[in-house]
Amino acid sequence: SLIEALGTAAHPPKYIDFEAAAYERSANLRQKINLAIQHDKQVRDVSTGLILSSHDFHSRPSNLFALLASMRLHEASKVIKLAFRARSIRDNLEIFDILRERDRPTIVLGMGEHGLMSRVLAPKFGGFLTFAALTEQGGTAPGQPTIAELRGRYRFDSITESTKVYAVIGDPVAHSISPDVHNAGFESVGHDGVYLPLRIDAGWEPFKATLLSLLAYEPLDFRGASVTIPHKENLLRLAIEQAAAGEKWEISPVAFGAGAANTLAVRDDGTRFVDNTDALALKSLLREVLSSELADGLAGVPVVVLGAGGVARGACAALLEEGARVTVCNRTTERAERLRDELREKLSDAPGSIEVAEWDERHGLEAKAWINGTSIGMSGGGAEGESPLDFERLKTPEDAVVLDTVYAPRRTPLLAQAEEKGLRTIDGVSVFVRQAIAQSVLWTGDSESLSGLHALFTRVSEEVLASET
């Protein structure tokens, strides 16, 4: 019936896709399929080729390479296809090796969130094709991007062997707008790069092992990353460790002082440079908003920082360098105290000061500026719709500034309440855009397109957030 269908079709298919296990299990079935496809021993006039495929929707097959070797024995197969659920980001590197060592057109794809890299980077490593869904609900396997995402967000049509790879690394990262923003930025300045979301499980060991593997895999040409919760402190730790071992790693003073970093840039000479563009963005935005009333920058200005994670660390370090009087409040006081002690030691020459207050005492503090460095209010963050402050209980001057580093939603409950009180606000999109521009300059070397990038990054951020809402 298959032979008859192909023989009578007005437009026979270019390929038929058949599962390898069934093809190998039955000699009779294999003979019938071979009669219907084009191969070197075919005597009939047929043009349809065979894609011999293997799928594992649960995990990486333990016999992956034996399976591949077995499939390669079938010369009638024009294309080999392997698809399995990727267990981690590092499974993609194994996929790329298989593609690079192919003996015929080959498709190898990782399913699930961890496999996105294999789908997007298929053309970089010579993959025969990749799969995408027509709609978000129309995927045929877990982890498939849509055609619009593949060709729009990830600029699939422009990816070649020479394309440099960048990423946002965190856990989670599915909510990140960074891929939309940075891929649009690369296109605007003509940079041959693609930016991907890579989820690395929380913890030091997964982060270290994965990032070093990505950097060591030369064919990938991994050139940089934005690093977010919970890995900002891990990035700095890795940089310190590698530099101490004699590797070519450099750390910016602000990142070292903060004890956290959010940016990795690999220079052309192979040096890995680590920075904290969050800190630079926060400092510059506060100075701009307060510049009209401050004669000496942020010197002596009382600032309360909520949180003690990577963003809060960067904010505190930058503020100390500016001479501000910083008070840190965190739901876990011990973590805030560790932050205070580390910054006092690392930034002992900084003109500012830093103290700790209990979380329950935060409403009794007085400040010129408040910075939320927690995830409270973030969509999907576990405290969505909540605010870290109750402005009815807060002692704050009428000209105070409230800055929220959360950008989804853009108008968080914290900012909405601050605006109702007539306070000045700085939203997370403004912070995000400012730090993203600094990252783009580090990666592309293009410092002449700053005004254009600001407008572009702001527009893309607003469009993505609006569509998600």
Side-chain angles (χ1 to χ4, degrees):
S1 57
L2 176 62
I3 299 173
E4 292 175 354
L6 292 176
T8 58
H11 301 285
K14 181 68 175 178
Y15 296 98
I16 59 170
D17 188 327
F18 205 84
E19 197 70 20
Y23 183 82
E24 293 181 336
R25 185 166 53 244
S26 170
N28 182 49
L29 179 61
R30 185 162 60 249
Q31 182 182 36
K32 291 179 178 178
I33 292 174
N34 288 351
L35 287 173
I37 61 173
Q38 195 280 323
H39 54 86
D40 291 343
K41 297 180 181 179
Q42 178 62 270
V43 294
R44 302 174 64 251
D45 184 18
V46 294
S47 59
T48 299
L50 172 65
I51 299 176
L52 200 59
S53 62
S54 175
H55 300 80
D56 191 324
F57 289 86
H58 302 290
S59 184
R60 174 196 177 279
S62 58
N63 63 336
L64 177 63
F65 287 97
L67 178 63
L68 175 63
S70 176
M71 294 170 71
R72 285 175 172 170
L73 293 176
H74 298 288
E75 297 179 357
S77 174
K78 292 296 184 182
V79 180
I80 288 176
K81 173 187 170 188
L82 288 167
F84 60 88
R85 181 177 286 275
R87 303 161 301 177
S88 71
I89 297 300
R90 281 179 285 171
D91 275 348
N92 291 277
L93 306 184
E94 194 170 55
I95 287 172
F96 299 149
D97 275 337
I98 294 173
L99 288 176
R100 294 176 65 232
E101 297 168 3
R102 62 190 180 278
D103 68 343
R104 73 197 74 182
T106 300
I107 306 162
V108 193
L109 299 172
M111 292 187 279
E113 182 181 9
H114 290 309
L116 177 67
M117 176 186 280
S118 69
R119 298 180 181 276
V120 176
L121 297 184
K124 180 176 176 67
F125 294 96
F128 182 63
L129 55 79
T130 192
F131 286 80
L134 285 173
T135 66
E136 291 184 2
Q137 293 76 33
T140 57
Q144 276 185 9
T146 64
I147 293 175
E149 289 171 338
L150 196 65
R151 305 186 74 178
R153 176 183 298 166
Y154 300 115
R155 302 168 57 238
F156 182 81
D157 295 330
S158 68
I159 296 175
T160 66
E161 184 179 355
S162 64
T163 299
K164 301 175 180 64
V165 178
Y166 304 83
V168 54
I169 292 174
D171 183 16
V173 291
H175 68 285
S176 177
I177 64 176
S178 293
D180 299 271
V181 168
H182 281 296
N183 283 320
F186 290 161
E187 183 172 7
S188 72
V189 301
H191 183 66
D192 184 14
V194 62
Y195 185 104
L196 303 166
L198 302 182
R199 183 176 69 81
I200 298 178
D201 293 342
W204 162 246
E205 291 299 338
F207 177 82
K208 176 183 178 180
T210 304
L211 184 54
L212 289 181
S213 295
L214 293 173
L215 290 167
Y217 193 75
E218 292 185 8
L220 184 62
D221 200 7
F222 191 77
R223 288 299 191 97
S226 311
V227 177
T228 186
I229 297 171
H231 292 306
K232 294 184 180 184
E233 293 170 56
N234 287 335
L235 176 59
L236 182 72
R237 177 181 174 182
L238 181 63
I240 293 172
E241 179 184 275
Q242 293 294 301
E247 300 295 331
K248 296 172 66 176
W249 285 68
E250 293 182 6
I251 305 168
S252 74
V254 68
F256 182 77
N262 77 320
T263 305
L264 169 67
V266 181
R267 296 173 176 154
D268 290 339
D269 66 357
T271 301
R272 286 81 186 263
F273 177 67
V274 167
D275 203 353
N276 192 318
T277 61
D278 284 336
L280 302 176
L282 290 164
K283 175 177 67 176
S284 64
L285 285 167
L286 279 179
R287 289 182 67 176
E288 288 176 11
V289 172
L290 296 170
S291 62
S292 62
E293 58 215 65
L294 299 177
D296 193 21
L298 299 177
V301 175
V303 182
V304 173
V305 177
L306 303 175
V311 172
R313 282 177 170 271
C316 290
L319 291 168
L320 288 176
E321 293 283 8
E322 289 289 304
R325 295 188 288 114
V326 181
T327 302
V328 182
C329 288
N330 189 56
R331 285 165 288 188
T332 304
T333 303
E334 292 78 6
R335 192 176 185 192
E337 291 173 340
R338 287 197 301 271
L339 169 59
R340 175 200 62 196
D341 296 342
E342 290 175 14
L343 289 182
R344 282 178 174 174
E345 179 181 353
K346 291 180 178 180
L347 300 175
S348 58
D349 295 332
S353 63
I354 183 168
E355 302 294 341
V356 170
E358 296 285 342
W359 182 256
D360 292 341
E361 299 173 352
R362 66 193 185 282
H363 291 104
L365 302 172
E366 295 187 24
K368 185 77 169 181
W370 294 78
I371 297 176
N372 176 35
T374 75
S375 60
I376 297 175
M378 182 176 73
S379 299
E384 185 174 354
E386 299 181 18
S387 170
L389 294 174
D390 179 355
F391 285 88
E392 297 300 326
R393 302 167 55 194
L394 196 64
K395 297 179 180 180
T396 186
E398 294 181 355
D399 60 350
V401 177
V402 178
L403 184 154
D404 200 338
T405 61
V406 172
Y407 65 67
R410 182 168 190 174
R411 191 171 186 262
T412 61
L414 172 68
L415 296 183
Q417 293 172 18
E419 290 168 0
E420 290 174 1
K421 288 293 182 180
L423 304 179
R424 291 175 292 180
T425 61
I426 301 173
D427 61 46
V429 170
S430 299
V431 179
F432 171 80
V433 167
R434 186 67 61 92
Q435 66 82 30
I437 290 172
Q439 290 179 327
S440 185
V441 171
L442 283 173
W443 295 332
T444 67
D446 189 330
S447 59
E448 299 180 358
S449 306
L450 299 185
S451 60
L453 283 179
H454 186 276
L456 174 66
F457 284 7
T458 301
R459 176 178 61 79
V460 172
S461 299
E462 291 173 343
E463 288 176 353
V464 174
L465 292 174
S467 68
E468 292 176 350
T469 302

